[in-house]
Amino acid sequence: MLSNEMADLIKQRERKGKKKKSQIPYSIGLILIAIILFIILLQKQYTYAVCWILGIGIGIVLRYSRFCFSAAFRDPFLVGNTKLLRAMLLAMIISTIGFAVVQHSYLQHNPIDYDLIPGAVTSVGIHVMIGAFLFGVGMIIAGGCGSGVLMRIGEGHGLQWVVLIGFLIGTVLGAKDYSFWYNNIIEKSKTIYFPEYLDFRIVVVVQIAILLGLHRLASWYENRR
Amino acid sequence: MKSITKWLKKPWPYWVGGILLGLLNVILLATSGISWQITSGFLLWGVGILQLFGLDPFSWEYFNHFQHYYSSVIVEHNAFINKYTILNMGVIVGSLIATLMASQFKWKKIKSKKQFIFALLGGIMMGYGTRLATGCNIGAFFSGIPSFSLHAWVFGVFAILGAWVGCKILIKFLL
Amino acid sequence: MAVREIDCLYEACPVPILKAMKELKTMDPGDILILHSDHSCVGVAFNEWGEKNNYPIQVVEVEDGEWEVYIEKPK
């Protein structure tokens, strides 16, 4: 596929190339430290240890698969690529099944209390729309969302430290102003938790069907462009 | 040895990442009781920094509304070390480990003032947005959809709308 | 054949790909564009984009965490 000119250029460049250093020894050292910390935490507080090791797992996966949630939202209309979006839908299909098992076993012994159900169940209303919209604009101009910021800090990007500082300022301001939003909007908004209205099995099946449908739609959109 | 180095450099396909992230989120929920989230940890970092300056953000009304969420943190008086922040630090360390395994770590500077301003502004917008929507892409959407809560679907639709507007701004000012 | 270079060091996604698209529009078929970047997603993103739009592309890792993307405008 490559033309001769391009192959020549690359060869020239490779001859000029500097000697690269292997950073693998550092990674092994860091893994050992991480494991030691895990063992120490395990003896003190189980939840901390679990969060630590699974956080590391998430970080490794994010970086190795170049998983970027802001790209999943952005690439479909910026470059017409839906591969990431489809991978994200796949991830959500898998966690739908897993979350269903966890929540179902919880609800067998406990009443429905939105705050205590394992997972993220909260109220829906105009505040979510405003918040999500602000978030969407922010993640594009900052060049990364929550997970992206953490992953890129690990990679050594200086710019993402700035985004993190902005993030801290924003969350603190948002928390401070929360009473205003609560009194005006959030107090009146309802929490809609699907299993409350329909049988749990139906909810799971319908949701998986919808996610699969979106997956299909994304493929169709990509091929059409 | 050379083939291992090469293999360590190779990116994984997106779908592999998707499957693993989906599974990790479930394992996290089953073992620790919290789904994957990021901004609760950010908020606590911010609170911790304000505490260093002698303020008491835990007295804000916000923390009354989310008592079930943060009570364990408030009781233990430690905004910096708790499950939410440890999760975030794990992600940073994990990404660092992966970068080093691929021998691709490099300190990257900030290029221009414009980049700095957009990054800061974008960060503040995201941060403020997460308090209204109770979470970011991860906490409200990626963990919210499998939690069967309607707010996650609304979040998804409006985050896409926001991203669309963000792209317009980006093309106009950053290119 | 002309060779053009653009410097996208320290730029975050999606700036490199947008800059490349803009630059390629002004180039003649057969010209080569070299893009310098240190963003780890660039390799995957460009390979996919090239495959879809039939641009011959080669990503070379020139240093630790630094890449050069070679793009040829199709004839």
Side-chain angles (χ1 to χ4, degrees):
Chain A
M1 262 282 267
L2 292 183
S3 69
N4 291 330
E5 289 98 345
M6 200 144 106
D8 283 348
L9 269 177
I10 292 167
K11 249 192 218 132
Q12 275 175 29
R13 181 64 181 99
E14 272 171 349
R15 239 176 278 142
K16 246 195 331 192
K18 289 183 207 162
K19 256 238 165 306
K20 283 178 238 172
K21 265 203 234 148
S22 173
Q23 297 170 343
I24 296 172
Y26 299 107
S27 78
I28 294 168
L30 201 57
I31 292 170
L32 287 178
I33 295 172
I35 292 171
I36 293 168
L37 254 171
F38 173 67
I39 294 167
I40 295 172
L41 283 173
L42 203 57
Q43 284 155 347
K44 284 197 170 151
Q45 189 135 2
Y46 169 76
T47 329
Y48 289 8
V50 169
C51 286
W52 171 245
I53 210 73
L54 289 173
I56 290 175
I58 290 171
I60 292 175
V61 174
L62 279 176
R63 154 75 207 200
Y64 257 110
S65 53
R66 311 288 194 266
F67 216 90
C68 174
F69 287 87
S70 58
F73 281 119
R74 169 194 77 205
D75 282 356
F77 42 78
L78 206 59
V79 286
N81 189 336
T82 61
K83 262 202 179 135
L84 250 175
L85 182 70
R86 279 180 285 151
M88 190 175 79
L89 289 168
L90 183 66
M92 291 197 296
I93 291 171
I94 291 167
S95 29
T96 295
I97 299 166
F99 276 46
V101 174
V102 175
Q103 291 192 347
H104 189 70
S105 62
Y106 173 85
L107 289 176
Q108 278 184 330
H109 310 287
N110 300 283
I112 290 184
D113 177 338
Y114 304 131
D115 292 343
L116 299 178
I117 294 168
V121 181
T122 93
S123 59
V124 57
I126 305 163
H127 58 289
V128 176
M129 299 177 190
I130 301 169
F133 184 81
L134 276 176
F135 188 85
V137 177
M139 76 181 172
I140 302 299
I141 62 173
C145 68
S147 68
V149 169
L150 296 176
M151 169 182 133
R152 305 245 173 261
I153 286 176
E155 271 187 336
H157 282 267
L159 186 67
Q160 302 295 336
W161 283 96
V162 180
V163 183
L164 179 66
I165 292 167
F167 228 128
L168 298 187
I169 297 172
T171 43
V172 167
L173 284 177
K176 200 168 184 333
D177 292 352
Y178 194 77
S179 355
F180 168 79
W181 297 99
Y182 185 82
N183 295 334
N184 286 302
I185 301 171
I186 300 171
E187 198 177 15
K188 285 166 237 141
S189 56
K190 249 188 106 172
T191 302
I192 309 268
Y193 177 58
F194 299 131
E196 210 177 346
Y197 301 90
L198 287 165
D199 185 69
F200 213 112
R201 271 157 298 183
I202 298 172
V203 171
V204 175
V205 172
V206 169
Q207 176 149 314
I208 290 173
I210 291 173
L211 290 170
L212 279 174
L214 287 173
H215 194 280
R216 276 295 242 334
L217 190 73
S219 310
W220 171 82
Y221 173 82
E222 184 170 331
N223 291 330
R224 202 192 52 141
R225 290 213 10 166
Chain B
M1 190 62 208
K2 207 161 184 190
S3 62
I4 297 175
T5 327
K6 219 173 169 183
W7 182 77
L8 282 173
K9 270 186 187 294
K10 223 178 139 181
W12 303 346
Y14 291 141
W15 60 270
V16 172
I19 290 174
L20 290 174
L21 285 178
L23 287 174
L24 282 168
N25 201 359
V26 174
I27 298 170
L28 183 67
L29 184 73
T31 53
S32 73
I34 56 169
S35 51
W36 182 24
Q37 50 199 299
I38 289 171
T39 48
S40 350
F42 285 171
L43 175 65
L44 289 169
W45 273 335
V47 166
I49 291 168
L50 288 183
Q51 280 178 336
L52 292 180
F53 287 103
L55 294 162
D56 181 25
F58 280 139
S59 63
W60 293 348
E61 208 188 308
Y62 178 84
F63 291 96
N64 274 332
H65 294 299
F66 289 90
Q67 221 169 21
H68 61 282
Y69 228 77
Y70 297 105
S71 57
S72 63
V73 180
I74 297 169
V75 169
E76 282 176 34
H77 285 293
N78 203 338
F80 287 112
I81 308 285
N82 50 65
K83 52 188 174 189
Y84 306 111
T85 51
I86 287 179
L87 187 60
N88 282 350
M89 286 188 266
V91 177
I92 296 179
V93 172
S95 161
L96 179 59
I97 289 174
T99 312
L100 290 172
M101 283 204 285
S103 300
Q104 286 168 342
F105 186 83
K106 180 196 162 210
W107 177 247
K108 290 142 183 149
K109 290 180 295 188
I110 297 161
K111 197 172 194 174
S112 63
K113 224 184 225 165
K114 195 163 74 174
Q115 213 186 21
F116 180 92
I117 292 166
F118 269 89
L120 191 67
L121 209 71
I124 294 174
M125 283 176 80
M126 281 196 280
Y128 201 89
T130 58
R131 284 317 95 202
L132 288 181
T134 42
C136 65
N137 266 352
I138 309 298
F141 183 70
F142 191 69
S143 296
I145 298 266
S147 303
F148 309 104
S149 176
L150 181 65
H151 85 285
W153 293 92
V154 176
F155 185 97
V157 171
F158 280 82
I160 289 176
L161 282 177
W164 186 74
V165 173
C167 283
K168 298 272 168 227
I169 298 172
L170 186 90
I171 290 170
K172 199 153 183 200
F173 294 102
L174 268 180
L175 220 56
Chain C
M1 181 202 73
V3 178
R4 267 199 234 174
E5 299 194 29
I6 38 177
D7 176 16
C8 285
L9 292 176
Y10 319 123
E11 295 278 20
C13 271
V15 175
I17 211 158
L18 291 176
K19 276 198 171 159
M21 281 159 91
K22 200 171 154 194
E23 195 74 23
L24 281 165
K25 265 190 204 141
T26 66
M27 292 166 68
D28 295 322
D31 286 357
I32 291 173
L33 179 68
I34 305 174
L35 184 130
H36 302 263
S37 175
D38 53 12
H39 201 68
S40 63
C41 302
V42 154
V44 180
F46 267 96
N47 276 327
E48 272 187 8
W49 174 80
E51 203 178 298
K52 252 178 84 159
N53 298 290
N54 294 320
Y55 278 77
I57 280 185
Q58 177 103 0
V59 181
V60 185
E61 192 182 340
V62 289
E63 242 180 89
D64 296 336
E66 217 177 295
W67 292 267
E68 282 178 8
V69 187
Y70 290 77
I71 312 163
E72 188 179 335
K73 187 149 177 174
K75 286 182 181 132

